[in-house]
């Protein structure tokens, strides 16, 4: 052990270790319970900045969304959705894969199509914090 860490640890008593352990446990449990996203209820598909469709996530289906470059295909499965195909050049929204938590978004910018999942509660990230 490093000398400064050994000197610091020598001043700890059993109660100090117990309090530190409990504090760490509370932090971990809080992070797990507070930062998990809710289950999504529906998928909101936009084309050209306007809502194209609001689709319930209870049954499988495929939605074809027109855009300036062509047709974007959105695949819906129970509790999740993804952009299956897009005519855009880089395919970022397709590579994003399955979205399964409320607040998740896939944006196909060149074709002006977006897919967002909504629910009662959403995950927090640096954009909506």
């Amino acid at each position: 052990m490093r000398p400064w860490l050994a000197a610091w640890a020598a001043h700890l008593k059993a109660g100090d270790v117990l309090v530190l352990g409990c504090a760490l446990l509370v932090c971990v449990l809080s992070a797990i319970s507070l930062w998990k996203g809710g289950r999504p209820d529906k998928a909101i598909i936009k084309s050209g900045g306007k809502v194209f469709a609001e689709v319930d996530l209870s049954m499988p289906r495929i939605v074809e969304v027109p855009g300036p470059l062509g047709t974007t295909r959105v695949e819906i499965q129970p509790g999740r959705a993804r952009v299956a195909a897009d005519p855009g050049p880089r395919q970022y929204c397709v590579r994003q894969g399955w979205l399964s938590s409320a607040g998740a978004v896939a944006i196909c910018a060149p074709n002006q199509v977006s897919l967002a999942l909504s629910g009662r509660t959403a995950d927090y990230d640096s954009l909506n914090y």
Side-chain angles (χ1 to χ4, degrees):
M1 207 184 284
R2 299 189 188 252
W4 60 270
L5 185 59
W8 184 77
H11 295 291
L12 290 178
K13 306 244 186 294
D16 297 332
V17 173
L18 181 64
V19 168
L20 288 174
C22 288
L24 181 63
L25 181 66
V26 167
C27 288
V28 168
L29 292 177
S30 295
I32 290 172
S33 66
L34 295 176
W35 288 94
K36 65 180 179 183
R39 293 189 49 85
D41 298 335
K42 62 183 174 179
I44 301 170
I45 303 167
K46 292 184 179 181
S47 178
K50 298 180 180 167
V51 175
F52 177 78
E54 289 189 16
V55 183
D56 187 33
L57 294 177
S58 62
M59 56 189 293
R61 67 185 74 161
I62 293 179
V63 179
E64 307 247 337
V65 185
L69 299 179
T71 302
T72 297
R73 194 174 77 216
V74 176
E75 185 177 352
I76 308 290
Q77 292 291 325
R80 63 186 188 159
R82 72 176 177 149
V83 177
D86 181 66
R90 292 196 171 69
Q91 302 288 307
Y92 289 136
C93 56
V94 176
R95 290 184 201 168
Q96 199 154 0
W98 290 101
L99 306 177
S100 59
S101 62
V105 178
I107 299 173
C108 305
N111 204 29
Q112 299 177 7
V113 173
S114 68
L115 166 66
L117 301 185
S118 71
R120 291 188 196 115
T121 59
D123 271 342
Y124 291 99
D125 61 18
S126 61
L127 294 177
N128 63 10
Y129 174 65

